[in-house]
Amino acid sequence: MKKINGDFFNKSIVSVDQFSKADIEILFELAAEYKKGISNGMVFNDLNGKILTALFYEPSSRTIGSFLGAMQRLGGGIIPIHGILNTSVVKGEILTDTINIFQSYSDVIAIRHPEAGAAEIAAKAAYIPVINAGDGTGEHPTQGLLDLFTILEKLQRTNNLKVAIVGDLKYGRTAHSLSKLISIYPKNTLYFISPPQSPMPDEVVKIVKKNGAVVKTAKSIEEVLKTIDVLYMTRVQKERMEEEVYEKMKNSFILTGKMARAMKKDSLIMHPLPRVGEITMDVDSNPRAMYLKHQMRNGMFIRMALLRLVLKK
Ligand code: CP
């Protein structure tokens, strides 16, 4: 897909690979402006008259909710397609035809789809911007961006970080997007911690190394717990594997309150959510925990900024 190169207008956003540091800066600056404004009770009308189709072939709570919230916070309209059971997809309609329908009714499409690469296919078929809201085991760029925004906001830097990414790294699309984003900043070390059945895909490892990050692996969270700046937990993607494999992989890595308390004082505990047992509930009140409040809320501001930038010069 086309690099953003300082100009988001009318571009589809399929992968974090499209972003340079300067593009991220533009996005984060606007997201921070919206965050400040909304927190002060401001009302925005930047996208008055524009319509977003949220076309979600897979379940979602946060991503669809924050995309729809973002569009309405900017004064825009929404066509929410939350699940395809009541659409003509069940009659056999192909993806590109579905895209064609919704681009006739709206100005931007956010798509979530079970197949990696589907967002790119949709983007190539569309004359309006398409935003990847998670494509199977591929990427989840807006999640990676909100994660990075949260890291910058809380630690005041995106470089010189030690970040452990934990869980089902083969299938976890948020892990792919965040790892690639972290790797474009200098002096960052990524620790990949996964069950042996589900390592970080070679193509992602290749990209993050090429970008300049140091890549290490560890067998347990405890190995790195006291030295890392960010602990990014992810769930095992049950829906992408056989039940038998899931049973072996689930509960491979669990962060407890006691472990969380042993982390560096100014470190962060993150999770894209939903969690299914990887973080025990006694971690929630730890000041390092970012997943319930900060990441979630930042997701809306990042999506507001992205919608605004792709829809208006
Ligand atoms: N983080 C995330 O993508 O959550 P949802 O699946 O609920 O959208």
Side-chain angles (χ1 to χ4, degrees), residues 35 148-157 294 298:
K35 182 169 186 173
L148 187 71
F149 182 77
T150 306
I151 292 170
L152 177 62
E153 184 178 64
K154 293 291 163 189
L155 298 182
Q156 297 296 306
R157 67 184 200 279
H294 305 279
N298 284 341

Side-chain angles (χ1 to χ4, degrees), residues 243-296:
E243 181 71 29
E244 199 181 308
V245 183
Y246 175 72
E247 286 301 320
K248 276 191 192 144
M249 274 171 52
K250 74 172 186 191
N251 302 332
S252 297
F253 303 102
I254 296 175
L255 181 75
T256 64
K258 187 175 175 202
M259 289 162 73
R261 286 192 293 279
M263 290 175 66
K264 282 192 338 190
K265 200 163 175 248
D266 60 350
S267 59
L268 307 179
I269 299 164
M270 304 180 74
H271 194 308
L273 300 180
R275 68 173 149 181
V276 282
E278 314 76 43
I279 299 182
T280 59
M281 287 175 73
D282 57 348
V283 180
D284 299 354
S285 56
N286 189 304
R288 302 168 185 85
M290 294 292 115
Y291 43 92
L292 288 180
K293 281 191 200 145
H294 305 279
Q295 278 170 276
M296 199 110 64

Side-chain angles (χ1 to χ4, degrees), residues 59-64 112 140 143 272-274:
S60 169
S61 297
R62 276 147 291 273
T63 314
I64 194 162
R112 171 166 290 190
H140 193 344
Q143 177 72 45
L273 300 180

Side-chain angles (χ1 to χ4, degrees), residues 84-99:
I84 51 159
L85 279 179
N86 291 317
T87 72
S88 288
V89 174
V90 292
K91 301 177 204 161
E93 189 163 74
I94 58 169
L95 175 62
T96 48
D97 284 355
T98 304
I99 292 297

Side-chain angles (χ1 to χ4, degrees), residues 56 58-66 112 133-134 140 142-143 146-147 173-174 232 235 239 271-274 296 303:
F56 277 55
E58 272 193 336
S60 169
S61 297
R62 276 147 291 273
T63 314
I64 194 162
S66 57
R112 171 166 290 190
H140 193 344
T142 56
Q143 177 72 45
L146 78 89
D147 294 334
R173 57 195 174 202
T174 67
Y232 190 84
R235 76 181 167 97
E239 67 274 34
H271 194 308
L273 300 180
M296 199 110 64
R303 288 168 181 129

Side-chain angles (χ1 to χ4, degrees), residues 37-65:
I38 297 285
S39 306
N40 289 328
M42 276 175 74
V43 175
F44 294 93
N45 276 307
D46 301 16
L47 294 183
N48 196 3
K50 302 284 184 188
I51 293 178
L52 161 75
T53 296
L55 181 57
F56 277 55
Y57 288 69
E58 272 193 336
S60 169
S61 297
R62 276 147 291 273
T63 314
I64 194 162

